[in-house]
Amino acid sequence: MPVGKVYARRAAVLASSAALALTGLATAAPSAQAAMPTPVSAATARTYLASLTVKAEGSLSGYSRDLFPHWITQSGTCNTRETVLKRDGSNVVTDSSCASVSGSWYSPYDGATWTAASDLDIDHLVPLAEAWRSGAASWTTAQRQGLANDLTRPQLIAVTDNVNQSKGDQDPASWLPSRTAYRCTYVRAWVQVKYYYKLSVDSAEKSALQSVLNGC
């Protein structure tokens, strides 16, 4: 993304957050909004975490997002991104190609609300590059496609685009949502996805996950 656009978007995020804070919308999601699948409980997440393989992260050598076919067709003309936008928004209206033309989206990572789908990214909660380093490098393309388009587990969520970009491929040892009220949900989801896909965790990542889960 061009530098100018990054700064413009950051300014927009700050302005939006300030406006939302005044109305009280920045701290609570709209009641009518849908969301990603509810992750397992903190107790279950702690059990899952204890069973995960702990090892140093592997190399990114050979990694490409193209090895994780994403935004595949889900139904009709709707791909995975469009399906999540419709699921996670309120009063979402789509056109004949399934593109969202209006609606409202609350980003639980930062507490911002958006009314344009272009302001949102669909975050892979466990980033694809992180998955690659944690075991997915040895998967089949079909397995990687499953992770990249998983609507059954809490792996995909609509969030403010440049918040997602600032997260990049970091794990919870170096990045957690700025909205602290969502961190418990976030790490429960992270552990559930890693457990389901039999992905490893490194020691710093496990410590960060344990720390958050202990406060849930």
Side-chain angles (χ1 to χ4, degrees):
M1 180 183 291
V3 173
K5 184 177 180 183
V6 171
Y7 286 134
R9 180 55 50 75
R10 286 176 179 168
V13 171
L14 291 172
S16 173
S17 297
L20 289 168
L22 291 175
T23 61
L25 293 176
T27 56
S31 60
Q33 180 154 324
M36 70 175 185
T38 302
V40 296
S41 68
T44 298
R46 284 191 286 268
T47 299
Y48 284 0
L49 181 58
S51 72
L52 293 180
T53 298
V54 179
K55 60 187 293 187
E57 286 190 344
S59 168
L60 264 185
S61 176
Y63 169 76
S64 168
R65 283 178 67 86
D66 293 340
L67 295 173
F68 292 78
H70 51 289
W71 308 166
I72 62 173
T73 299
Q74 291 291 341
S75 63
T77 60
C78 300
N79 66 23
T80 307
R81 171 183 163 83
E82 293 157 345
T83 300
V84 175
L85 282 171
K86 188 170 184 180
R87 181 198 71 187
D88 288 4
S90 297
N91 304 314
V92 177
V93 176
T94 57
D95 63 18
S96 59
S97 65
C98 203
S100 298
V101 295
S102 66
S104 176
W105 291 269
Y106 175 83
S107 170
Y109 287 3
D110 58 332
T113 296
W114 303 97
T115 56
S118 60
D119 286 317
L120 297 147
D121 277 354
I122 306 306
D123 181 35
H124 289 99
L125 196 135
V126 173
L128 303 182
E130 163 68 21
W132 178 272
R133 294 189 298 259
S134 304
S138 64
W139 290 0
T140 64
T141 299
Q143 287 175 307
R144 290 192 285 259
Q145 177 175 293
L147 172 71
N149 299 275
D150 191 346
L151 296 171
T152 303
R153 279 148 290 276
Q155 164 66 351
L156 298 170
I157 185 170
V159 297
T160 302
D161 59 358
N162 69 315
V163 170
N164 180 52
Q165 291 151 23
S166 72
K167 170 186 170 180
D169 63 356
Q170 299 178 81
D171 69 34
S174 54
W175 191 94
L176 287 167
S178 61
R179 183 168 165 263
T180 56
Y182 197 70
R183 289 181 179 178
C184 183
T185 301
Y186 183 84
V187 300
R188 285 159 46 210
W190 183 283
V191 172
Q192 180 178 347
V193 171
K194 283 229 160 173
Y195 177 83
Y196 179 81
Y197 286 100
K198 297 180 173 61
L199 296 169
S200 63
V201 291
D202 63 49
S203 57
E205 175 188 355
K206 182 174 183 178
S207 293
L209 292 166
Q210 286 176 323
S211 179
V212 177
L213 286 172
N214 286 342
C216 292

